[in-house]
Amino acid sequence: MQRGSSERELAARWEAEAVAVTKALAAAEQVRVDSGAAGEPERKTPEEQPKDPAPAQPRAAEEGDARVVPRPPPTLPLAKPQAARARGLCPHGKPRSKGRGGRRSSGRAADEYHSQRPVTVDSSKAKTSLDALKISIRQLKWKEFPFGRRLPCDIYWHGVSFHDNDIFSGQVNKFPGMTEMVRKITLSRAVRIMQNLFPEEYNFYPRSWILPDEFQLFVAQVRMVKDGDPSWKPTFIVKPDGGCQGDGIYLVKDPSDIRLAGTLQSRPAVVQEYICKPLLIDKLKFDIRLYVLLKSLDPLEIYIAKDGLSRFCTEPYQEPNPKNLHHIFMHLTNYSLNIHSGNFVHSDSTSTGSKRTFSSILCRLSSKGVDIKKVWSDIISLVIKTVIALTPELKVFYQSDIPAGRPGPTCFQILGFDILLMKNLKPILLEVNANPSMRIEHEQELSPGVFENVPSLVDEEVKVAVIRDTLRLMDPLKKKRENQSQQLTKPLAAKEDPSDSEPASASDGNTDPEAHLPSICLKQVFPKYAKQFNYLRLVDRMANLFIRFLGIKGTMKLGPTGFRTFIRNCKLSSSSLSMAAVDILYIDITRRWNSMTLDQRDSGMCLQAFVEAFFYLAQRKFKTLPLHEQVASLIDLCEYHLSLLDEKRLVCGRSGPAGVRPLDSGSPPDSTPSAPPVEGHPPSCTNSAPKAAHSGHALS
């Protein structure tokens, strides 16, 4: 009994002391508020003083990190006194703000850090473009890491290919597969597919044959044309597949003159019709190097530089004849060849010399009454159509190197388009360079055999602008700065403390870090002109079907099971096309294409073989239509059946166990499939069927 009574007495004493302390604190607070003392809050007893959490240890400052003075984080109490909360006071006794509170200052500090820190660029693999890149980074006031960096950078600048370095985040200036895609044979095959579908739209690329595989076809077609027109005396140009800078290029008048022996078996080549009537300036042949930025693959974004370079031959031009076929300084415009000519003229003027700006050529043509807008329009059309021909297989390369759902960088790339203007001003595509030279100096011979690198003002004017403005377009922090600027310029709430708006007004004068730079020299041409060219993207839609049925992530070739699944899911088999016939079709086409390609790493059907099989199926099913309408109709039919399949799987997934996601679904739930095209008749509207849902993330 005594023990119970002592416990009750002790509890009563503690309760009385707690009430007394609470009343004393309340009275002191009331006196402070009544007297208007808004300055220093009352001191709390050690028991009531909240303990600050241990501050996080700052990491060691690293070279290149933004030099922003770190602000201490706001003190966060472990417990908030109920009395202070009830009176609208913060835990330290200060009146609460009626706006969005003190937490906004810490968020703003983080935003200011991200907007103020410079963009970081890893230039350790830049190689020959390093000098122009350094100037561009300096003009942008960004931070360069010439020897790499332990921490990830925002942008990685590679000199050769996507695989120059192992990148798992950020942005890299190369697309996987681009080097392979612009090789002369691969480019010719890609353009040939488009020429079969749209011959009039792709007549800017000379007729091409692949050697040695198509040598007999080349001989037969030339003989047939000559028999029909005895006056036709063509000239052909032979270009090694992996050649660059004019290496191994030569001209012939007859197929029998082609050097079949020796290295042709191990070093395939492309033979093309030679353009015998080019536009001449100062009696010299010249070509145009235009710089094209492929900013994104899906969605497709293309930019063209407003200026380029014109490279001149160094010997007056004459039409090819047996006596001058070997005059490379007359027929070949390659800078790397003509620089060794005694007639090569180095000039710091943009309108004279053996290398000039393209804008100076346009000014000269304009003074002679040439419609420059028409010339530019034709060049833009050529560039867009060429990129459309390349993108299908680039998508296959991309999903192989950066499969959906795995970490990886986003990509962009500067391409060099070599274009020749004919005498009638029609542009002709010569080739596409995945790694156009970005050197801004040239070699000057001081004495026999002694050379020195001398700055080239013409190169610097064009190339630095292209690299700098490419970086501006790819700036990963630009959106953050724009969002912050929009937030700071919004009118604050009427009840917000005026002191909170002071930082916004203070930073308004420094919202545009590019104010000191010239206007961007890159002009967007796609999707700006997408409506005029989207009808050409049939092979792109075929590539989406191909990727959908690849099955294994990272592969680039379709196996026999995947091809059979494609036929079955798209309802393409019939009494006239049994699955046994499908297997034979797969084997025949795959075997032939594998014998033509040098890459034997994977077995199976490549994209170009799939396109050939697709053409065959389209011609069987829609016999009375032109080829491009046959293909479009079959694509619509495939996408229609796949959308039905996706919708069925989606419904089954919803009705199945909770949390179970159906495989290979991707169509929107409210999509309504349109009717399939009737066999033998064109669809009511191309692209009317919903696009086939496949696992494809943004390829940028």
Side-chain angles (χ1 to χ4, degrees), residues 281-282 312 347-357 359-361 363-364 458:
I281 290 183
D282 299 332
F312 281 76
S347 175
D348 289 337
S349 171
T350 59
S351 57
T352 60
S354 297
K355 183 187 287 188
R356 314 176 193 178
T357 60
S359 56
S360 71
I361 303 299
C363 288
R364 185 161 177 174
V458 177

Side-chain angles (χ1 to χ4, degrees), residues 46 70 88 118 167 175 206 211 250 253 288 297 300 429 464 496 507 514 525 599 611 615 647 650 689:
I167 307 299
F175 277 96
L211 304 179
Y250 61 96
K253 296 291 289 184
I288 306 161
L297 197 55
L300 185 59
L429 177 65
V464 170
E496 187 168 359
S507 62
E514 299 183 357
V525 296
D599 184 8
V611 169
F615 282 10
E647 189 172 324
L650 190 62

Side-chain angles (χ1 to χ4, degrees), residues 11-88:
R13 191 182 312 129
W14 284 351
E15 184 177 355
E17 290 177 357
V19 171
V21 170
T22 302
K23 288 181 178 180
L25 289 174
E29 176 65 18
Q30 187 63 38
V31 170
R32 189 185 67 81
V33 173
D34 292 343
S35 62
E40 188 173 339
E42 74 280 10
R43 294 183 178 272
K44 296 187 178 181
T45 61
E47 291 79 2
E48 294 174 345
Q49 186 70 30
K51 296 181 180 180
D52 293 342
Q57 293 294 331
R59 65 173 177 84
E62 182 176 350
E63 180 185 356
D65 290 349
R67 298 192 177 186
V68 180
V69 178
R71 301 185 180 182
T75 302
L76 301 178
L78 294 179
K80 297 182 179 180
Q82 298 296 327
R85 185 184 303 171
R87 288 192 297 272

Side-chain angles (χ1 to χ4, degrees), residues 543-600:
N544 292 339
L545 297 173
F546 178 80
I547 293 172
R548 172 174 177 142
F549 290 97
L550 282 177
I552 302 174
K553 287 185 178 182
T555 185
M556 292 183 58
K557 292 188 176 180
L558 187 66
T561 302
F563 188 71
R564 289 173 62 93
T565 305
F566 157 71
I567 296 292
R568 186 166 53 250
N569 288 2
C570 295
K571 313 292 185 185
L572 299 183
S573 60
S574 62
S575 57
S576 60
L577 184 68
S578 64
M579 294 307 293
V582 168
D583 292 338
I584 295 174
L585 174 67
Y586 174 87
I587 293 171
D588 288 346
I589 293 179
T590 301
R591 183 179 296 164
R592 184 170 66 256
W593 275 93
N594 285 342
S595 67
M596 290 189 296
T597 57
L598 298 177
D599 184 8
Q600 301 292 338

